[in-house]
Amino acid sequence: MALTYFRNLNERLRRPGGPPLYFRIANIIVAILMIVAGIAFFTWSNFLRIMFGIFEIVFAIWIIMFELAEMAWLTPYVQFMFTWRGRGIFYVFIGCLTLGYKALGWILGAIIIGIGIGYIVLSFTTKRHENYMTGTGIAGTET
């Protein structure tokens, strides 16, 4: 079953009309950084940080699922993830949660916030806001 899921992974990553491959790679890198931060939060033995770690890991898995699979059943509930500005604000929020009292938290949080700010800037510099998710026409354009 897992082999059939990943069989056409290259085609799904390179959907025509979708975001360029480097944006998808940046999103997967952010998800990996979130998983690293989530695991690090478990070692700091503070209840609040452990809860942040759980949220980070859940959101990271969610981002990876959005990048590697089409989840039409969930798309209407998370329209913000299919616009540059919405995804950027989400990354800034997650980056702020990642900022911690340890150096690793500050570094990972700053990287995630930087990528989020890059997405927000991108939303203001593009003349035409295209759907982040293409082919299905589910996600609307940004206004």
Side-chain angles (χ1 to χ4, degrees):
M1 183 171 160
L3 291 177
T4 60
Y5 178 77
F6 290 107
R7 184 174 299 159
N8 297 324
L9 180 63
N10 191 28
E11 293 173 11
R12 283 196 304 265
L13 285 174
R14 297 177 184 265
R15 284 190 285 240
L21 184 61
Y22 51 86
F23 284 117
R24 291 192 181 273
I25 291 172
N27 294 331
I28 292 173
I29 289 172
V30 166
I32 291 169
L33 293 176
M34 289 169 58
I35 290 172
V36 169
I39 292 170
F41 284 156
F42 286 132
T43 64
W44 293 341
S45 70
N46 179 354
F47 178 73
L48 183 62
R49 288 292 168 190
I50 290 172
M51 293 306 296
F52 284 166
I54 292 170
F55 282 121
E56 295 256 350
I57 292 172
V58 168
F59 286 146
I61 292 170
W62 185 51
I63 290 170
I64 290 172
M65 286 172 47
F66 273 124
E67 293 303 321
L68 300 181
E70 292 183 18
M71 299 186 314
W73 59 273
L74 187 59
T75 302
Y77 304 108
V78 289
Q79 288 289 315
F80 66 92
M81 288 299 287
F82 300 107
T83 62
W84 301 117
R85 191 173 307 142
R87 190 174 286 256
I89 291 170
F90 177 72
Y91 283 171
V92 168
F93 171 72
I94 293 296
C96 289
L97 288 179
T98 306
L99 294 174
Y101 59 93
K102 302 275 185 174
L104 181 66
W106 286 102
I107 293 169
L108 296 177
I111 293 171
I112 294 171
I113 289 172
I115 292 173
I117 290 172
Y119 275 123
I120 293 170
V121 169
L122 181 67
S123 75
F124 289 111
T125 58
T126 55
K127 290 189 178 217
R128 188 171 140 236
H129 301 287
E130 297 188 25
N131 292 346
Y132 195 85
M133 181 175 172
T134 60
T136 60
I138 294 172
T141 56
E142 222 174 66
T143 56

